[in-house]
Amino acid sequence: MKQHHTVKSVCKTFFGLVLPVAAFLIFLLFPFYWMFVTSVKPNAEIYANPLIYWPREFTWATYEKLFGYFDFLKYMKNSLIVAVCTMILSLFVSTLAAYAFSRYNFPGRKVLMAVFLSNNMFPTVLLMIPLYSIMRQLGLLYTPGGLVLAYTTFTIPFSVWLIQGFIRDVPFSLEEAALVDGCNRVRAFLKIFLPVLTPCLLAAGVYMFMQAWNEYTLASMFTNPATRTIPVALNSLIGQLGVEWDMLCAGGTVSVIPVCVMFFFAQKRLVAGLTAGAVKG
Amino acid sequence: MKKALAILLALALTLSFAACGGPSSASSTPAPASSTSAAPASSTPADEPSGDPVALTFWYWADNTDQSNLIQQIVKDFNESNDKNITVTAEEYPWDSGGFTDSTFNAIMGGGGPDMSTMKLQAGKTFAANGLYADMSSYVDAWEDKAQIGDNVWEMMRNATGDGKTSILPWTLEALYVYYRPSYFEKAEVEVPTTFEEFLTAIEKCTMDMDGDGKTEYGFGMRGAGGGQEHLGNFLYPYGATWDDLTTPEAVEAYKAYLSIYQNGYAPETAPSAAFAELTDGFKTGLTAMIIHHIGSYAQWVDLFGDDVDAFPVPGSDKGQWTCAGDTELVVYEQCENKDAAFEFYKYMTVGEGGTTWFKNTGKGLGTSNVKETEEFKSNKFQAVAAEALKSAGVLPPTDTLTEFINNVWAPTNQQALMGQITPEEALETMNKALHG
């Protein structure tokens, strides 16, 4: 009887959990798998009919070309600089702005919040020419700084709303206790408030990083061959007459790695931060 | 820990600003506004150049990394060899399915952008209407090698802007023709078609299992989506229709013949969504016996199939014959302060050494004497077919709404017609309205 129950339970777990999760994972990971195997296939195997699911012959020549002739590291460095700077700048400004919007009551607060939100209502292309013109006047065109500023015009408003929503849920009594214990505003913010905000800042930071890492439209306008970022560099492999699938897939595979690594660490911190925040709250 | 976090944040912020500012000075590109100013001292031409130094920026797209390298090399050679102290900085931008012209347009409208760039005829009117092109008519008229390029080509350039000026300068014209697999023809027992009717028959007969794997190979690689509008012209003219009016009975008959290829199963099921990549992938994998394309892709077919690939011009009928010329032009922008230098560069890129090098490596050109004299031209069977196809070549009518037709109307309308969701008449009505207003 007990054995019957065990078999039933195993079957239930297998069909109810393991199998659907496995199917979902295959669905989710297959594009990444295909991207990788395409990058290590010789050209003839990429276009073979019927499809070759596992390379008969591995070649790393594409990666050699990618990091050699194509100088992909340069694009990775540019993307990393832009994404990290966008993230840090946006987090810094958004956190302070969101704090002010949440904790201070000043005239025009709601209007300002609405104005922040309205920025996201405009399509990116609409702002291309004005932003281009501004960047040119400021001498920021074709510099990573220009691209960072352009990205922050989109990431900051969103992050302000995101962080502000989180701050509202943080009890004001936490800061009051700190103020009563002798902290000033700045110290209370840094010592008490900021640690509680960690999970939210991580979530917002990951969002900003991803936005800047993957963005194409503005990057194609505000960079030149020296400051080009990964999405634009990869797009240049899609020509009028053909797609260099091997290079494109190799570039895609490499560009996914930093994001995966970041997520791996951010995820751990994110969960830890959430737990800590809940206990403190 | 918290203190460390705060210090780290401040440090990272400081570093980020420093990092942002850094590469700007290392940028290899002068700011567009100063692109026509004096050339850098380090780029002095070798052959005792005369005149003040002139710096020009040239934006281009490349179809692959080899072409990218090639253009950079050609420009480098020009910088080193020209005797007029001209230094061109070539900057590559992604083709981005035509987004290149949008980026260039936005950049110039924003006060930046290049002095010269590669261009497509279809974007001619938008740029011309905004006064962005330089009128190069006087330069062309005074050019001793003008006659090397056919009058019909210059006419095509003038028509593309709609203002009668020669603002767009031809660089490469690639007439579309049919690539086919002789082994497939042999198996299907068909000869190379010389009439449009034979062409349709060949498509039908080549739809069979060619490699014995139990799956059907298709007679024709149909490009139902992006870029496929160019192929429609191959069907219109043999039925007596033209691009001028797509609602005539002749146009309807031609379009029905086109649609029937897919609806009868002579083209892959993916045809409605097939753009260039799907078209070429189908031919590469042996899925299709024939595709319509131009000289630009011959090298990859020869690499892949060796002798088992050949070509013929898309046949016509006694009513007409037409094929689209894939085009890439060079333009000089009004904001260029030294148009003489820009035209020198153009000459180098066509009848000069740059044009010869370009042809030798890509098979593309304008059939100028420097190109025809090369061994690459004489020994390439595809060049002869391309030259033959060029005789009936043209471009889509450069109406104000051509870009809109190409980018937003053609693919969805044609897809609906291929899938039988709308009638051929309805599809042509929509296309005609989009094309001619």
Side-chain angles (χ1 to χ4, degrees), chain A residues 72-151:
Chain A
F72 196 66
L73 274 180
K74 178 180 80 179
Y75 304 124
M76 287 190 79
K77 189 191 83 181
N78 290 340
S79 273
L80 202 65
I81 288 171
V82 169
V84 170
C85 293
T86 302
M87 183 177 74
I88 293 171
L89 184 62
S90 302
L91 273 181
F92 181 74
V93 175
S94 308
T95 309
L96 295 181
Y99 182 79
F101 279 126
S102 309
R103 291 293 190 248
Y104 295 97
N105 222 338
F106 53 89
R109 191 174 69 94
K110 284 187 177 173
V111 176
L112 274 174
M113 284 295 282
V115 169
F116 262 113
L117 195 65
S118 69
N119 183 59
N120 278 13
M121 293 173 187
F122 295 104
T124 314
V125 286
L126 205 67
L127 303 174
M128 292 272 275
I129 295 178
L131 275 176
Y132 185 93
S133 203
I134 292 167
M135 297 300 170
R136 205 175 68 83
Q137 298 287 339
L138 292 176
L140 287 171
L141 201 58
Y142 307 135
T143 68
L147 201 55
V148 169
L149 276 185
Y151 288 164

Side-chain angles (χ1 to χ4, degrees), chain B residues 139-173:
Chain B
Y139 289 91
V140 172
D141 291 342
W143 185 27
E144 66 273 18
D145 289 319
K146 180 190 174 187
Q148 284 202 43
I149 300 166
D151 286 343
N152 63 320
V153 174
W154 290 114
E155 184 68 24
M156 211 187 288
M157 300 299 126
R158 278 192 295 273
N159 289 341
T161 54
D163 58 10
K165 296 173 185 169
T166 308
S167 305
I168 303 178
L169 306 169
W171 184 35
T172 63
L173 277 174

Side-chain angles (χ1 to χ4, degrees), chain A residues 13-33:
Chain A
T13 310
F14 181 76
F15 288 107
L17 183 69
V18 177
L19 204 61
V21 169
F24 178 72
L25 280 177
I26 289 171
F27 183 75
L28 192 77
L29 295 176
F30 187 79
F32 294 98
Y33 161 76

Side-chain angles (χ1 to χ4, degrees), chain A residues 4-51:
Chain A
H4 177 73
H5 267 295
T6 312
V7 172
K8 201 177 167 184
S9 167
V10 168
C11 281
K12 199 176 167 185
T13 310
F14 181 76
F15 288 107
L17 183 69
V18 177
L19 204 61
V21 169
F24 178 72
L25 280 177
I26 289 171
F27 183 75
L28 192 77
L29 295 176
F30 187 79
F32 294 98
Y33 161 76
W34 195 247
M35 191 163 70
F36 173 70
V37 294
T38 304
S39 71
V40 293
K41 278 180 185 174
N43 216 24
E45 286 190 29
I46 293 174
Y47 299 107
N49 185 20
L51 290 174

